Amino acid sequence: MENVSDASSQAADLDLQQIFDQMIALIKTKLTDITYNTWFKTLKPITIDNNILILESVSPIGRKIIESRYRENVLQSLKEIGHGELNFKVYDQGTYTEQAAKKLEKEELNIELAKKSGLNVKYTFDNFIQGPNNQLAFAAALAVAEMPGQAYNPLYIWGNPGLGKTHLMQAIAHHVLDTDPSKKVLYVTSETFTNELITSISHHTNEEFRRKYRDIDVLLIDDIQFLESKQGTQMEFFNTFNALYENNKQIVIAGDRRPEEIKTLEERIRSRFKSGMVADIKPPDYETRVAILQKKAENNGISIDMSVLGYIATVVSSNIRELEGALTRVQAFAKLYPNRKLDIALAQEALKDFLAGDAVTVITVPRITSVVCERYNVTVSDLQSKKKPKEIAYPRQIAMYLSRKLTEEPLDRIGSYFGGRDHTTVAYAVSKISDDLKGRDGDELRRSIEDMERRIKGE
């Protein structure tokens, strides 16, 4: 038995080597010597697993180049030597194992399913950063993903653009497909739904349209507000909604406002939305913005000092899309100047034009301090010093008060800016100014603070 097994193994190895030798010889005739020697000369055959020819490259760059730029060359060569049934996969040297192959096969299947369902492969729960701004929406989305059609149906997520609604919706879809690849999941925008409905009417393919949207387990429709004033589309959507709901199929909707605020949406549709779970996503606070930037930098394989991430999180507070765009800009700018340290000064330079259009809305502790100093004719150094005369201490307390009111900076960070003072000092300053505003001279102080606030906001 041992001899038979050894002979069988040797035959398999011989077939593998023969296929590889024939394939590589043919590829060599199609490429220049430089190209062949650079990418293919050191390529080695490992095994054939489920009609996939496993190859090994000594260079990670070579692996990527062969699988992308020369993929068709390899497949065509396999076909020409009589093995068109084979696909191929290139691994970095020493990384191939059967377990790794199975994991990769599952990942590739999930990617293929995701693409068919209209999903971005990056929009998963693992890549979603939780914070106080999105806890309810996240919890509801996870519950729906784990028990589609049973937990919250429908689930309606709303919030301003760029806050993560689409990410959370698609994370639901990914989770459902990962758990059960046989599930039929579809993510579309309401605009796509509308356009496909119009096409089905003009081409007399209404039944195909209805099968696509009703013969499904999970339907996710984004930007539902675009159905406003589209009466015909609203009627078809209502019927689709009912068909899915009655069959316990999961429906997830996202919009930029509450259901009741989409005024021209039919009342019966708004009522359906409100019958399930309605969860909102707010702009992220400072800590969540920093966490988002950390995750983004980690995914990009780049190490950035926390002070730089903190600066970006301070000057970009409107939405996640702009936050990530700012980080991308800083990273790109740093690559242009490889000899410079990636510090706050470089980040400020990189974001100068990026923030130009929104400069009046960027409120930071330094900006607040500058306005206060100008008002009371003191310097920033004065406010950051240990000096305690009233003409310095009181403007310092006002600056702390405004920093707490107009930014999301925590007390300890504000105190750190003002000469390393602790959070209790800032809390006292906030309390004192609040009390003074209620006191005998409160009206005058209030006018002064309101004037400073307008200048800080650029009004």
Side-chain angles (χ1 to χ4, degrees), residues 38-39 43 57 59-67 90:
T38 302
W39 307 122
L43 208 59
S57 172
S59 163
I61 296 175
R63 170 181 58 79
K64 293 178 182 178
I65 292 291
I66 291 170
E67 288 200 327
V90 185

Side-chain angles (χ1 to χ4, degrees), residues 80-100:
E80 289 180 24
I81 64 172
H83 290 283
E85 79 282 2
L86 294 179
N87 201 338
F88 78 97
K89 180 68 185 172
V90 185
Y91 284 80
D92 292 335
Q93 191 172 36
T95 62
Y96 173 78
T97 63
E98 288 187 12
Q99 186 177 6

Side-chain angles (χ1 to χ4, degrees), residues 167-429:
H167 187 149
L168 209 47
M169 291 181 79
Q170 295 198 17
I172 294 171
H174 279 297
H175 189 90
V176 171
L177 289 172
D178 287 347
T179 304
D180 185 355
S182 68
K183 291 285 188 183
K184 295 179 181 179
V185 177
L186 180 62
Y187 165 87
V188 295
T189 64
S190 63
E191 185 178 11
T192 298
F193 182 88
T194 300
N195 291 340
E196 291 187 2
L197 174 61
I198 293 170
T199 300
S200 73
I201 293 171
S202 62
H203 289 78
H204 306 291
T205 55
N206 302 62
E207 286 307 311
E208 291 179 20
F209 173 86
R210 286 170 183 154
R211 277 198 301 273
K212 175 179 178 178
Y213 283 94
R214 299 184 189 184
D215 183 18
I216 205 162
D217 296 300
V218 181
L219 177 63
L220 308 101
I221 295 192
D222 210 345
D223 296 323
I224 197 67
Q225 69 274 5
F226 289 114
L227 290 189
E228 279 188 302
S229 305
K230 296 182 176 70
Q231 298 304 318
T233 306
Q234 288 186 30
M235 181 179 296
E236 183 61 39
F237 174 77
F238 181 76
N239 292 333
T240 298
F241 183 105
N242 283 343
L244 292 171
Y245 185 80
E246 288 168 5
N247 286 294
N248 295 318
K249 305 301 182 182
Q250 182 66 51
I251 305 153
V252 183
I253 310 294
D256 66 357
R257 67 203 85 159
R258 294 183 180 88
E260 60 268 23
E261 293 175 349
I262 309 178
K263 297 303 182 184
T264 58
L265 199 62
E266 287 188 28
E267 175 56 34
R268 58 179 181 171
I269 296 178
R270 281 185 277 164
S271 177
R272 288 288 192 277
F273 291 166
K274 291 187 286 185
S275 68
M277 165 66 82
V278 178
D280 68 324
I281 299 181
K282 298 182 177 69
D285 61 15
Y286 173 82
E287 288 77 13
T288 305
R289 294 199 299 274
V290 171
I292 290 168
L293 292 171
Q294 282 182 297
K295 185 70 173 181
K296 180 76 172 177
E298 178 186 317
N299 290 343
N300 291 344
I302 296 176
S303 177
I304 299 183
D305 190 81
M306 277 296 295
S307 63
V308 176
L309 297 182
Y311 168 75
I312 298 172
T314 298
V315 299
V316 183
S317 58
S318 53
N319 65 58
I320 297 169
R321 202 171 295 147
E322 290 186 7
L323 188 68
E324 293 182 340
L327 177 62
T328 300
R329 188 179 180 90
V330 169
Q331 290 174 344
F333 196 82
K335 288 180 180 179
L336 292 175
Y337 302 96
N339 296 325
R340 288 184 57 181
K341 183 181 179 182
L342 206 176
D343 54 13
I344 291 178
L346 186 141
Q348 288 174 330
E349 191 174 343
L351 297 178
K352 181 173 58 178
D353 295 334
F354 183 86
L355 297 172
D358 300 319
V360 295
T361 64
V362 178
I363 300 175
T364 64
V365 175
R367 178 180 178 84
I368 291 168
T369 306
S370 176
V371 171
V372 172
C373 286
E374 187 176 349
R375 177 82 179 193
Y376 289 97
N377 196 27
V378 294
T379 68
V380 174
S381 297
D382 286 334
L383 298 195
Q384 293 178 331
S385 72
K386 302 298 182 183
K387 297 176 183 177
K388 296 184 178 180
K390 186 175 181 180
E391 60 268 21
I392 293 175
Y394 201 66
R396 183 189 294 133
Q397 290 173 333
I398 289 176
M400 290 179 176
Y401 168 83
L402 288 170
S403 295
R404 184 60 172 165
K405 180 180 179 182
L406 300 178
T407 76
E408 296 175 358
E409 297 282 9
L411 295 177
D412 56 350
R413 194 179 295 273
I414 295 172
S416 177
Y417 180 81
F418 290 100
R421 289 170 166 82
D422 64 26
H423 70 281
T424 58
T425 303
V426 180
Y428 173 78

Side-chain angles (χ1 to χ4, degrees), residues 23-43:
M23 177 198 76
I24 209 73
L26 187 56
I27 288 173
K28 188 174 182 180
T29 67
K30 299 178 180 181
L31 303 175
T32 65
D33 287 344
I34 293 177
T35 300
Y36 174 82
N37 290 334
T38 302
W39 307 122
F40 287 89
K41 190 174 181 178
T42 58
L43 208 59

